[in-house]
């Protein structure tokens, strides 16, 4: 039994994302709701897109670990980026944290006019899957 990530023939091949995830019966699926670049008190860590991106991914990691998973177990990311954010800085800050061996996760990204947290420049959510013994 294994979790499969794939990019089928006929779809664009990318080292940054896969197109399909198959989670077999019996695997544990973990959903992480939207995480912004805020600290434990809910305050934005910075007005900088790179700083907020790092903290948003860190918050997702903390949430995943509370459920017995990690960043390498993520099969799908949703990334919302404020239209005024520096996209290259935001992605550049977290790219190495999200890199892993094997096929990359699925990624959905969108530029948006605003996020629920005033001043937030990024929000990430994740779906992870793990096979437990």
């Amino acid at each position: 039994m294994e979790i499969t990530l794939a990019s089928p023939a006929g779809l664009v091949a990318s080292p940054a994302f896969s197109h399909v995830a198959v989670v077999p019966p019996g695997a544990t699926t973990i959903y992480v709701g939207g995480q912004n670049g805020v600290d434990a008190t809910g305050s934005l860590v910075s007005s900088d897109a790179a700083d907020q991106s790092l903290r948003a991914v860190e918050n997702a990691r903390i949430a995943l670990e509370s459920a017995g998973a990690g960043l390498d177990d993520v099969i799908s990311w949703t990334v919302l980026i404020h239209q005024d954010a520096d996209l290259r800085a935001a992605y550049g800050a977290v790219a190495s944290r999200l890199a892993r061996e094997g096929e990359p996760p699925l990624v959905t990204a969108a530029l948006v006019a605003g996020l629920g947290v005033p001043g937030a420049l990024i929000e990430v959510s994740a779906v992870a899957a793990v096979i437990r013994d």
Side-chain angles (χ1 to χ4, degrees):
M1 178 166 61
E2 68 181 49
I3 296 159
T4 304
L5 295 163
S7 291
L11 297 177
V12 64
S14 173
F17 60 85
S18 292
H19 291 279
V20 178
V22 179
V23 179
T28 300
T29 306
I30 300 143
Y31 300 88
V32 177
Q35 300 296 312
N36 299 105
V38 297
D39 61 21
T41 69
S43 298
L44 287 171
V45 295
S46 168
S47 61
D48 179 73
D51 292 342
Q52 286 191 29
S53 296
L54 283 168
R55 184 55 191 240
V57 170
E58 176 63 9
N59 290 345
R61 184 197 62 76
I62 292 167
L64 289 163
E65 285 188 357
S66 76
L71 293 175
D72 285 348
D73 297 309
V74 173
I75 60 170
S76 181
W77 287 101
T78 299
V79 183
L80 304 176
I81 304 165
H82 192 280
Q83 64 191 9
D84 295 335
D86 182 340
L87 180 60
R88 287 180 189 227
Y91 180 73
V94 297
S96 65
R97 298 252 3 245
L98 301 180
R100 65 184 195 190
E101 290 189 31
E103 295 298 318
L106 288 63
V107 177
T108 300
L111 292 177
V112 298
L115 295 164
V117 173
L121 298 174
I122 189 162
E123 184 167 328
V124 300
S125 63
V127 178
V130 295
I131 296 174
R132 310 228 193 247
D133 296 327

